[in-house]
Amino acid sequence: MNVRRNVKPHDLGDWPACLPLAVLFWSGAALIAFGPALLLTLFSVAWAQPIAAQVAGARSAMFQIGPGAVLLTPLYFAPGVRRLARAARFALLGPLAAAIALAVLVCLYPTLP
């Protein structure tokens, strides 16, 4: 009996190094995006300063997340990237997220307190 079975193809880029690279790149992007806001808030609490003055840090974090989401979402669903394994996709898009967050931080640096 010759039965054809639908076999899912092996995920491209499913390497053991992809997951640690994805974690490294995305944690770096999160540190760049949320680091200044969290650091300024921590200093405000430590020195008993009003936290309301840290609105610029939160605004900077939101301005970093917005363009990153707008630019990386179409890339995530692009056909060539969609064929990769999930860890490989995140490892591929992580440096782009870090670069976008760093570029926005550099542009918004003069507005930070």
Side-chain angles (χ1 to χ4, degrees):
M1 182 151 106
N2 191 359
V3 178
R4 280 190 126 172
R5 296 182 185 198
N6 292 331
V7 178
K8 188 174 180 181
H10 182 67
D11 284 331
L12 299 172
D14 195 13
W15 297 330
C18 287
L19 186 60
L21 283 174
V23 169
L24 175 76
F25 292 142
W26 282 97
S27 61
L31 184 65
I32 292 169
F34 296 113
L38 292 176
L39 187 63
L40 291 173
T41 304
L42 181 70
F43 285 155
S44 294
V45 169
W47 288 313
Q49 298 294 320
I51 296 180
Q54 307 311 327
V55 174
R59 187 184 70 216
S60 150
M62 289 191 328
F63 282 143
Q64 289 172 341
I65 293 171
V70 167
L71 294 173
L72 294 178
T73 301
L75 283 176
Y76 182 82
F77 291 110
V81 177
R82 191 74 182 153
R83 282 189 224 121
L84 296 173
R86 184 174 300 190
R89 273 184 273 169
F90 284 126
L92 178 69
L93 296 177
L96 293 173
I100 291 168
L102 187 61
V104 172
L105 181 65
V106 167
C107 291
L108 292 178
Y109 184 74
T111 66
L112 290 176

